[in-house]
Amino acid sequence: MSITRHESSEIYSKVVEANGFVFTSGIIPSDLSRDAKGQAEEVLKEIDRLLALCGTDKSKIVMTNLWLNDIRHREGVNEAWKAWTGGKDTPARATVEAKLVDPRMLVEIAVVAAK
């Protein structure tokens, strides 16, 4: 099996290609002053970039893990999500409330996509 790692550090790779799939790490926003919807939009844009780097796109996402620092942010994040997906080719998805690395961080998203 061939494994290709992209944007790697000593701790993790931002995205990994293996066995016909693309796996992102948990993608977080850099602008922590934005609301949950704005942070989600930023994260989804980065996911688009990473998927394109690996020769795939959001229409091929099969699984998403979405972490919110407060489940009440779900509505704003879902607005960003629906605008991003256009309501089609939606993957399986888990959404959970979790304590994130920085209290200003409202959302983190990881995806698995087919090549």
Side-chain angles (χ1 to χ4, degrees):
M1 170 188 340
S2 172
I3 298 174
T4 305
R5 294 171 175 84
H6 301 277
E7 300 185 20
S8 301
S9 72
E10 293 178 351
I11 300 170
Y12 74 101
S13 295
K14 204 162 191 182
V15 63
V16 175
E17 298 177 71
N19 205 28
F21 287 92
V22 174
F23 303 83
T24 70
S25 64
I27 305 303
I28 57 173
S30 58
D31 183 354
L32 301 180
S33 68
R34 299 180 76 186
D35 64 7
K37 181 180 177 186
Q39 288 189 20
E41 289 168 345
E42 181 185 340
V43 167
L44 295 169
K45 184 177 178 180
E46 176 66 359
I47 289 171
D48 277 335
R49 184 187 74 79
L50 293 169
L51 294 176
L53 176 70
C54 298
T56 191
D57 62 57
K58 65 187 164 202
S59 72
K60 296 186 176 95
I61 296 174
V62 295
M63 180 63 194
T64 300
N65 288 302
L66 198 150
W67 299 274
L68 303 174
N69 81 336
D70 186 323
I71 201 69
R72 292 175 290 188
H73 294 307
R74 186 177 56 189
E75 185 177 320
V77 171
N78 280 342
E79 285 179 31
W81 181 264
K82 287 186 277 187
W84 186 65
T85 65
K88 59 183 181 179
D89 299 321
T90 54
R93 187 178 105 172
T95 303
V96 298
E97 183 178 272
K99 187 173 185 176
L100 301 178
V101 172
D102 183 314
R104 299 170 299 156
M105 188 180 303
L106 308 178
V107 61
E108 181 172 348
I109 303 172
V111 303
V112 177
K115 291 267 303 192

